[in-house]
Structures are given as C-alpha cells and as structure tokens.
Amino acid sequence: MTFDDYLKKHYVKACTEQNEIKSDQSMVDGLINGSLSGAAVKKWMESYNLFQGIKSSDRDTISHTFLKFAADLTKSTHLDRDAIKCHYSNLFKSFYKEVPRSWMSATSKLLWCMYPGNIAIYDSFVHRTLLV
C-alpha cells in the first residue's frame, strides 16, 4: 500500500476521531476566560498520558505549576521565535524543578493550549513515525 493509499483509506476515521476530542477546546477556553482548574489540567494531562510514572501528589503540583505559569504570563497575540523559545524554556524548567524528567511533550502541548495558532505540538510517537 502506498502512503497516498494509506492516507485515503484512513483520513475520514482520523478526522472523525480528532473532531471527537472536546477536552482540547475546553482547555483553550478555560485559559482564555480564567476558569481553568488544577483538576481540569490534571485530567487533560492524564488523558494525553503526560504523567507516566508520576505520582498523584506530583501531578497536582505540576498542574498548579502550569496554572501559575499561565496566569503570570502576559499574553500577546503574536509570538516570535524568541518569545516561543523563552516560554518553552521557562515552563519546561518550572516542571523540571518540581519533578526532574523530560517534559518536552507536556510543555509543547500545554503551550499549544495557550497559543493554539502559534505553537506546534511535539509528539515523540509522531516524530519517530516520520523518521521511519
């Protein structure tokens, strides 16, 4: 099967599954209107398996660390490359300070929630698949 055939065969199913994900928009909306809770962040992160190997109390800490980061950040409508690097680095370091491990995927996904039009999500599974 060619890649083109594969895409044609699975495109509708992939779009349907993606459109059924409602939690992403809830995160984005909650960040915009300030209604997002630590419990909601934790649940969203768990749904993306971003807490593998992380104990419950640390999950709460990381969720609240993100909310504090988002609240403290002055939102701008346009982000240049340097601003994105700075936000990424600051959030990653905040997480790492609480729980030393790689937070690459979590950091990119959470920044995407804050800036869905400016940030690309990093996903190690997609990265490996593209390399193959």
Side-chain angles (χ1 to χ4, degrees):
M1 175 182 294
T2 68
F3 187 62
D4 188 49
D5 292 336
Y6 180 85
L7 287 177
K8 287 177 184 174
K9 180 177 179 180
H10 296 287
Y11 181 77
V12 172
K13 181 180 180 198
C15 287
T16 301
E17 288 179 10
Q18 186 63 38
N19 288 330
E20 289 174 355
I21 299 173
K22 303 293 183 209
S23 61
D24 291 350
Q25 192 60 51
S26 295
M27 283 282 289
V28 172
D29 292 343
L31 285 164
I32 290 170
N33 64 32
S35 67
L36 195 59
S37 68
V41 172
K42 180 180 172 181
K43 182 178 178 180
W44 184 86
M45 291 181 75
E46 287 172 341
S47 75
Y48 278 98
N49 297 315
L50 299 174
F51 283 137
Q52 291 178 349
I54 305 294
K55 61 186 178 182
S56 185
S57 61
D58 287 336
R59 292 176 182 201
D60 291 333
T61 300
I62 292 297
S63 299
H64 291 290
T65 298
F66 171 67
L67 285 177
K68 181 175 178 352
F69 173 85
D72 291 348
L73 195 64
T74 303
K75 292 274 288 192
S76 63
T77 56
H78 175 73
L79 292 177
D80 62 20
R81 178 179 283 239
D82 290 336
I84 291 170
K85 284 180 182 180
C86 182
H87 293 337
Y88 181 90
S89 178
N90 290 339
L91 183 57
F92 186 97
K93 287 175 185 176
S94 295
F95 288 160
Y96 192 86
K97 181 180 172 187
E98 298 298 335
V99 179
R101 64 166 286 187
S102 177
W103 290 102
M104 185 182 298
S105 183
T107 301
S108 73
K109 285 176 173 73
L110 288 164
L111 284 175
W112 175 87
C113 290
M114 295 177 69
Y115 300 100
N118 297 87
I119 303 286
I121 293 174
Y122 172 79
D123 187 293
S124 62
F125 297 111
V126 172
H127 183 247
R128 283 192 297 269
T129 300
L130 290 172
L131 290 176
V132 170

